[in-house]
Amino acid sequence: MTTHFDIVVVGAGVVGSAIARDLSRYELKVALLEADADFGNESSKGNSALMTEGHDTPAGTLERQLVVRGYQRYMAEAPALGLPIRKTGAIMLAWTPGQRETVSRLVHEANKEGFENVYLMEGREVLDQWPQFRPGVLCAQWMPDEAIADPFSTPYAYVLDAVTNGVEYLRPWRVVCVERTGYGWTLDNDRGDSIAASLVINAGGLRADQVDELAGFSDFWMKPRRGQYMVLDKQARAVHDVIAYPTPTPTSRGILIAPTIFGNVLVGPTAEEVEDRDDRAVTEEGLAALRAAMDAMVPSLRYMPVNTIYAGMRPATNHSDYQIIPRFNEKWLTVAGIRSTGFSSALGIAEYVESLIFPTVFDRLPVKVVRGVKVPDLAETSVRPWASPELIAADPAYAEIICHCERISVGEVRDALASTIPPASIKALKRRTRAMFGRCQGFYCGARIQAMFDQARNGDDA
Ligand SMILES: Cc1cc2nc3c(=O)[nH]c(=O)nc-3n(C[C@H](O)[C@H](O)[C@H](O)COP(=O)(O)OP(=O)(O)OC[C@H]3O[C@@H](n4cnc5c(N)ncnc54)[C@H](O)[C@@H]3O)c2cc1C
């Protein structure tokens, strides 16, 4: 028999997960479908993880509105979920008179638009505080409330919260066919399973156009934009610990150099339109652009060891703003084109989705009693289990280090494997624990961690 849900959310990226979490607060039968075996394995896994206030998004757009709200909600709600936030601040630098003019204008505009905590700094002040920048800085825009956060634990926290509060999370469940019915839609996956929904919310990210097309809608098309990155080893943090941008040009926001919540320094992303949405190649040209950005902004980073290189893919469309398209006569809501800011805006988007569907599609129902969840805090600056005498006294597995680069214990890997939503792949386990994220990239600990993973999946016979 086909199971019927009030709402089916397609896609467990950071956006779909945040929507499912918000919907779990109501007496509704909700399913979250994910094509992949793990959540957050597409656009949401390869971003800069900046939690941004929104002043660098175009004024008057839906994107600006939802980033501003998403930032506010994240700051208020993330700590209770165990998610770390570091307000490192962000600085946009000018070295030429033309850039100085642009930066001064951007500060003025941000202040006029209500962002009072955006300041103009003179070059001398900048170099006194951050001597790592290339000499000759004329001025800068200083944004003290810009923050870094954990890009992997965030969708995890949203999915875990949603599931704990009643959402059915189905994975891998790739929607390959949909059919309009009297009450809404039936959705089929590639194994021949079907479910029914009174309302479908398409949060398919990089593939949202394909999901819309299944239902006969074609309001936008994807223009995937690749972003290549370099992750510098932790010693780079002693040199550089602030989010730094060049002055943007009319065509590019430029490559940033920023600390990560895990204690590294990230250089990137490039911005390249590519034909193939799965083309996450790292190229010679991309790496050269990243090196040039280091030389131009923080030359002393040039010879820091590189831990890894990778590329993410922005789910951009042929429109510049978000594509949140209600078609309630058709029982379908598209939430797409969340290109460069979805990590920050996800909770703003989720609240906006609620405002669209209540009471238009469903009566606004009373909020249920919410069961709280907490995910492990993986920040470098937090007290890690190996440094907690209480945790170790209660369970010595937290003192048995398995990943020496990141100082991750057997206890943490074991806990992740035994969690309500266990990682379905070794890469997901990496994102859930930070194990194998360090300088050796799993060279020394990989085999032992793989054995723990295999044993957890297959039992003692593995
Ligand atoms: C290089 C780069 C840098 C960025 N930097 C930042 C930043 O610093 N700060 C910030 O706020 N944002 C940033 N972003 C943006 C942010 O990462 C994205 O906006 C966000 O991840 C989009 O999430 P999503 O859930 O819409 O899409 P996705 O993460 O792509 O999720 C969509 C999900 O839908 C699933 N799906 C697709 N088709 C189907 C189907 N048929 N059936 C079932 N499931 C399906 C996919 O498997 C996927 O898991 C950056 C993005 C990139 C790429």
Side-chain angles (χ1 to χ4, degrees):
M1 209 181 73
T2 308
T3 311
H4 188 120
F5 293 91
D6 295 311
I7 302 177
V8 164
V9 181
V10 180
V14 72
V15 171
S17 308
I19 294 171
R21 171 176 180 255
D22 268 21
L23 295 175
S24 74
R25 281 23 183 180
Y26 303 96
E27 291 296 347
L28 289 168
K29 199 167 155 58
V30 178
L32 174 63
L33 307 185
E34 172 50 52
D36 201 276
D38 287 301
F39 56 81
N41 202 22
E42 290 246 73
S43 295
S44 301
K45 78 175 170 191
N47 59 39
S48 311
L50 306 185
M51 191 45 62
T52 179
E53 287 180 292
H55 41 73
D56 55 353
T57 53
T61 58
L62 184 59
E63 179 179 26
R64 160 75 66 90
Q65 178 192 330
L66 301 183
V67 171
V68 168
R69 183 62 189 138
Y71 174 92
Q72 290 167 349
R73 280 194 68 188
Y74 197 86
M75 289 295 159
E77 295 172 38
L81 291 165
L83 294 168
I85 305 168
R86 268 193 71 216
K87 270 194 190 178
T88 58
I91 191 155
M92 179 198 288
L93 299 145
W95 276 276
T96 67
Q99 290 173 345
R100 181 186 190 113
E101 214 171 284
T102 304
V103 165
S104 305
R105 176 176 53 77
L106 290 173
V107 172
H108 179 70
E109 280 173 10
N111 293 157
K112 220 172 69 189
E113 287 159 13
F115 297 99
E116 284 161 12
N117 54 348
V118 174
Y119 306 95
L120 187 66
M121 278 179 95
E122 283 309 316
R124 178 172 294 280
E125 246 185 299
V126 173
L127 290 169
D128 281 349
Q129 197 167 335
W130 296 284
Q132 73 268 30
F133 291 129
R134 180 166 61 83
V137 174
L138 296 181
C139 74
Q141 183 186 54
W142 170 234
M143 303 152 269
D145 290 332
E146 294 287 286
I148 54 173
D150 181 339
F152 311 124
S153 301
T154 296
Y156 173 43
Y158 297 163
V159 176
L160 181 64
D161 187 331
V163 168
T164 305
N165 289 290
V167 168
E168 213 162 309
Y169 172 44
L170 303 174
R171 57 147 179 176
W173 216 104
R174 181 178 297 279
V175 179
V176 293
C177 178
V178 302
E179 199 177 323
R180 189 78 168 90
T181 59
Y183 50 77
W185 296 88
T186 57
L187 301 96
D188 300 332
N189 70 15
D190 42 11
R191 295 185 303 272
D193 307 320
S194 290
I195 58 174
S198 300
L199 174 71
V200 173
I201 300 180
N202 169 14
L206 211 47
R207 295 169 218 283
D209 56 337
Q210 294 169 340
V211 177
D212 259 18
E213 269 164 31
L214 295 175
F217 308 124
S218 53
D219 299 77
F220 59 89
W221 62 86
M222 296 312 293
K223 289 178 81 176
R225 224 169 43 243
R226 184 171 63 193
Q228 303 185 42
Y229 288 101
M230 205 181 256
V231 180
L232 305 183
D233 197 18
K234 290 187 183 176
Q235 67 203 72
R237 265 284 282 285
V239 173
H240 185 79
D241 196 22
V242 65
I243 303 161
Y245 299 90
T247 304
T249 66
T251 52
S252 160
R253 196 177 170 206
I255 289 168
L256 62 90
I257 305 180
T260 74
I261 201 83
F262 309 123
N264 300 87
V265 170
L266 190 67
V267 185
T270 57
E272 307 145 60
E273 281 193 12
V274 289
E275 289 287 310
D276 175 0
R277 61 188 92 195
D278 293 312
D279 179 4
R280 290 195 179 84
V282 175
T283 62
E284 273 304 322
E285 297 74 30
L287 293 177
L290 301 180
R291 285 194 203 99
M294 280 193 274
D295 289 345
M297 280 200 287
V298 190
S300 52
L301 288 179
R302 183 65 140 96
Y303 300 102
M304 290 288 165
V306 175
N307 278 5
T308 190
I309 50 179
Y310 66 92
M313 196 65 79
R314 301 171 184 87
T317 69
N318 55 317
H319 299 274
S320 56
D321 204 353
Y322 288 177
Q323 293 301 292
I324 302 187
I325 310 170
R327 297 184 192 87
F328 291 137
N329 286 341
E330 297 289 345
K331 311 279 188 190
W332 191 277
L333 171 62
T334 303
V335 183
I338 317 298
R339 46 191 188 130
S340 303
T341 45
F343 180 60
S344 307
S345 62
L347 295 176
I349 294 172
E351 192 176 84
Y352 182 66
V353 163
E354 276 187 66
S355 78
L356 292 176
I357 65 177
F358 300 122
T360 314
V361 189
F362 299 96
D363 291 334
R364 184 170 273 283
L365 302 156
V367 177
K368 295 189 308 198
V369 175
V370 175
R371 294 174 63 201
V373 299
K374 224 175 173 119
V375 298
D377 176 347
L378 303 182
E380 182 75 351
T381 47
S382 308
V383 179
R384 308 279 310 140
W386 65 265
S388 164
E390 297 79 26
L391 267 184
I392 291 168
D395 184 347
Y398 294 116
E400 192 186 335
I401 299 296
I402 190 164
C403 163
H404 286 265
C405 300
E406 295 292 299
R407 280 163 290 178
I408 308 302
S409 61
V410 166
E412 289 161 272
V413 174
R414 175 206 61 198
D415 292 350
L417 290 168
S419 60
T420 310
I421 305 170
S425 65
I426 199 81
K427 284 195 171 158
L429 176 61
K430 183 173 167 181
R431 295 196 288 268
R432 290 273 287 275
T433 58
R434 251 177 67 182
M436 300 179 288
F437 252 31
R439 198 168 186 178
C440 91
Q441 291 287 298
F443 184 83
Y444 289 104
C445 57
R448 211 174 147 208
I449 293 172
Q450 182 73 53
M452 281 184 78
F453 178 78
D454 292 343
Q455 182 163 349
R457 276 172 71 97
N458 307 323
D460 287 335
D461 299 336

